[in-house]
Amino acid sequence: MPPTHEVLNQPPALAGYDVADDPAMLSAVHREGAGWALDGIGELGRLAGSARAQQQGRQANENPPVLRTHDRFGNRIDEVEFHPAWHELMTVAVKHGLHASPWRDERPGAHVARAAGFYVWGAADAGHCCPISMTYAIVPALRHDPGLAERFEPLLAAREYDFGLRPPEGKRGLLAGMSMTEKQGGSDVRANTTSAVPAGDGSYLLTGHKWFTSAPMGDVFMVLAQAPGGLSCFLLPRVRPDGTRNGMHLQRLKDKLGNRSNASAEVEYDQAMAWLVGEEGRGLRTILEMVNMTRLDCVLGTATGMRAGITLAAHHAAHRTAFGRKLADQPLMAGVLADLAIESEATTMAGFRLAGATDRAIRGDGQETAFRRLALAVTKYWVCKRAPAHAAEALECLGGNGYVEESGMPRLYREAPLQSIWEGSGNVAALDALRALTRQPETAEAFFAELDLAAGADRRLDQAVGRLRKDLSDPSEARARYLAEEMALTLQGALLVRHGDPAVADAFAASRLAGDWGHAFGTLPSGVDSDAIVSRATPAPTPH
Ligand SMILES: Cc1cc2nc3c(=O)[nH]c(=O)nc-3n(C[C@H](O)[C@H](O)[C@H](O)COP(=O)(O)OP(=O)(O)OC[C@H]3O[C@@H](n4cnc5c(N)ncnc54)[C@H](O)[C@@H]3O)c2cc1C
């Protein structure tokens, strides 16, 4: 090698580190009742940070799925082909129960344990988390039909990844998808035109199109369609119980901005056989049970992306020198990194508080159900809105390297806007929060009861809560984003003040609550303990 090729001042590859070495997540897992799961979370964290998982994530995204509509003889097969790396990622996720473990685990905190696994393993690749999340989320909706739940839940919860077109009940494990969005309406699903006609044997025949159906290689789908009694929810198997392929034709796969390892299809249903779930005309209510679970994963997935971004940025800055000093030691860069770390920790704290609320709500806690209803909507709105700006700033910390695919940053950046679009886009999430506020006063009471737990601990928080109470006197639609943002910020502030690292909580209160802050990351007030904050996000390499 000529001497000009000596590589200087480039950071070592960040491989072989523990993704679960994440103080905000670890303390939240304890607090929310899943301390018993830490060994398993640690195992997944080390797996996610391994060179092997990083390679799998890269390969699955560089070799996106391919739709095979027909076999070579011209028969329709409607199958999606994946790179082996995708199957390996899915195998780990399913083996660790990220798709369903809490539905088979009576222990309090089971949903928190699963949330932590999802959060750390998601660092390997975001795309495959989509079918994992939908399989987790389908169960509460499916339970609207106890017979179908009895039939399919054990297979959905099985820890076996069994890919391929076969009748669901002949497989070792199942994966689920959700099929609501049509060309003329995604948010407004009441505009659905797919029809469901009773077949006379208790099942229905569905005919229509769906403009987005992710993970179409799943085994069963929750589908919305118009039955004689109105918009209804159906469970649709890709292969009928008799082994024949159902009338579910994949037209094409979307050419997406990011999320490229995952397949998202346009689907035509042609007299596709399906079973009614819940009552006719109550489809929206039923499928919302599923949507509400996936919304939690939108928050957790966003927290994963932010943590990955700040980790890569802090690692780079800890090793790269410019103008005679490490980047991490340059006061302005330290401020940028600290600001990114604060945003990431606040998102993680909120995500795990909501995972805990989910766990307790599912076990029948009414107060937590009411809290979750509102807190999830505002948090989903706000943290997903922050994700693209966070990813862009983290990318820039790597300079030109960050703009290059190999750094992993472009993948994070392309993924970042997605969580805000699906499961209720920004406006829809904000309006949903407003609906809860105005129509379900118990949700606001539960929300403020949570904020009250931090009362008196920080003057800036107290003032922000006072402002929020005043602002809520005008809950008009046009103000929905403003109010959702304010609510999300006070919730994050309250959690940080009560449970967070003192330096992080103080800087959050000064910037996000008291307004001593600019319009870009890296504009924290002076006096913030950036070193202490950034050290919580700088990964300690572990032996390979
Ligand atoms: C990668 C990807 C995968 C997806 N996978 C699935 C899937 O598996 N299954 C599925 O069913 N769908 C899926 N979707 C679809 C997704 O859920 C919808 O795109 C989303 O719900 C928005 O619907 P829409 O695209 O029809 O936009 P619209 O509903 O037309 O909304 C357009 C914009 O208008 C805003 N808006 C809507 N109503 C109002 C209002 N009342 N006031 C103010 N603003 C409003 C929205 O916030 C949005 O910004 C996927 C989408 C993507 C990008």
Side-chain angles (χ1 to χ4, degrees), residues 43-374:
E43 186 197 328
L44 263 176
R46 286 184 295 279
L47 267 183
S50 68
R52 185 172 163 73
Q54 288 177 11
Q55 186 187 31
Q56 288 164 352
R58 181 179 58 73
Q59 288 175 333
N61 282 276
E62 285 176 359
N63 301 278
V66 177
L67 174 62
R68 302 277 177 222
T69 50
H70 297 79
D71 69 10
R72 66 188 174 119
F73 307 106
N75 303 302
R76 273 207 88 115
I77 50 171
D78 297 288
E79 187 52 299
V80 187
E81 256 177 36
F82 288 85
H83 189 272
W86 166 272
H87 296 301
E88 288 166 25
L89 291 163
M90 289 294 294
T91 302
V92 172
V94 171
K95 188 176 141 221
H96 285 83
L98 306 184
H99 66 307
S101 57
W103 306 120
R104 284 285 170 277
D105 191 339
E106 295 292 310
R107 280 176 291 184
H111 289 272
V112 179
R114 179 264 167 195
F118 185 81
Y119 170 84
V120 296
W121 179 244
D125 164 63
H128 82 290
C129 293
C130 169
I132 293 300
S133 179
M134 290 194 292
T135 306
Y136 168 59
I138 200 173
V139 170
L142 190 60
R143 286 180 179 174
H144 283 247
D145 187 305
L148 287 174
E150 195 179 321
R151 227 169 125 184
F152 292 108
E153 204 179 301
L155 288 165
L156 287 162
R159 294 195 181 203
E160 300 258 11
Y161 174 57
D162 190 0
F163 183 85
L165 265 168
R166 294 195 307 286
E169 281 154 302
K171 296 184 85 170
R172 286 175 284 119
L174 302 180
L175 292 171
M178 175 161 54
S179 200
M180 304 190 292
T181 308
E182 297 188 0
K183 294 189 186 77
Q184 73 284 358
S187 311
D188 187 6
V189 287
R190 284 195 180 84
N192 271 199
T193 58
T194 297
S195 69
V197 177
D201 60 357
S203 69
Y204 288 67
L205 296 175
L206 270 52
T207 302
H209 77 277
K210 294 289 171 182
W211 187 229
F212 279 95
T213 295
S214 288
M217 62 293 169
D219 301 292
V220 289
F221 298 84
M222 226 23 130
V223 185
L224 276 183
Q226 302 285 358
L231 192 63
S232 309
C233 199
F234 295 90
L235 185 73
L236 185 148
R238 195 155 69 110
V239 179
R240 296 187 192 96
D242 66 6
T244 55
R245 278 186 41 249
N246 209 353
M248 177 180 179
H249 303 309
L250 309 187
Q251 301 300 98
R252 56 178 176 161
L253 298 185
K254 301 287 193 186
D255 183 7
K256 296 176 288 187
L257 169 67
N259 199 253
R260 294 187 75 81
S261 61
N262 183 29
S264 300
E266 292 169 22
V267 179
E268 292 283 341
Y269 292 117
D270 179 11
Q271 306 253 320
M273 192 278 296
W275 301 287
L276 180 68
V277 181
E279 290 169 45
E280 269 194 23
R282 308 296 298 270
L284 210 47
R285 195 171 147 259
T286 310
I287 210 152
L288 274 178
E289 299 251 13
M290 184 170 181
V291 171
N292 269 322
M293 299 303 286
T294 49
R295 279 183 182 171
L296 172 65
D297 284 357
C298 290
V299 174
L300 294 168
T302 298
T304 300
M306 286 186 180
R307 178 74 185 170
I310 178 59
T311 300
L312 286 166
H315 172 74
H316 182 87
H319 291 92
R320 174 88 167 176
T321 300
F323 302 98
R325 262 199 293 186
K326 288 270 188 292
L327 286 177
D329 298 333
Q330 311 270 3
L332 188 52
M333 178 57 97
V336 172
L337 293 170
D339 220 354
L340 291 171
I342 291 164
E343 197 72 28
S344 155
E345 289 208 20
T347 300
T348 299
M349 301 273 287
F352 280 91
R353 174 66 185 87
L354 288 165
T358 300
D359 195 80
R360 292 182 281 277
I362 286 168
R363 286 166 218 285
D365 184 326
Q367 174 82 2
E368 287 287 88
T369 305
F371 167 74
R372 183 184 189 277
R373 168 73 185 85
L374 185 52

Side-chain angles (χ1 to χ4, degrees), residues 398-449:
L398 275 66
N401 282 358
Y403 203 69
V404 173
E405 283 294 335
E406 286 168 319
S407 72
M409 286 300 200
R411 218 169 94 204
L412 278 181
Y413 181 65
R414 286 193 300 267
E415 192 73 25
L418 179 55
Q419 307 280 8
S420 187
I421 292 173
W422 60 16
E423 315 304 349
S425 320
N427 287 353
V428 173
L431 290 172
D432 186 46
L434 207 63
R435 204 170 306 120
L437 262 175
T438 50
R439 295 196 197 156
Q440 294 171 268
E442 73 280 8
T443 65
E445 279 163 30
F447 187 85
F448 278 104

Side-chain angles (χ1 to χ4, degrees), residues 375-393:
L376 181 55
V378 296
T379 305
K380 199 269 185 195
Y381 165 74
W382 179 240
V383 304
C384 296
K385 275 279 155 271
R386 299 295 290 154
H390 192 278
E393 199 64 62

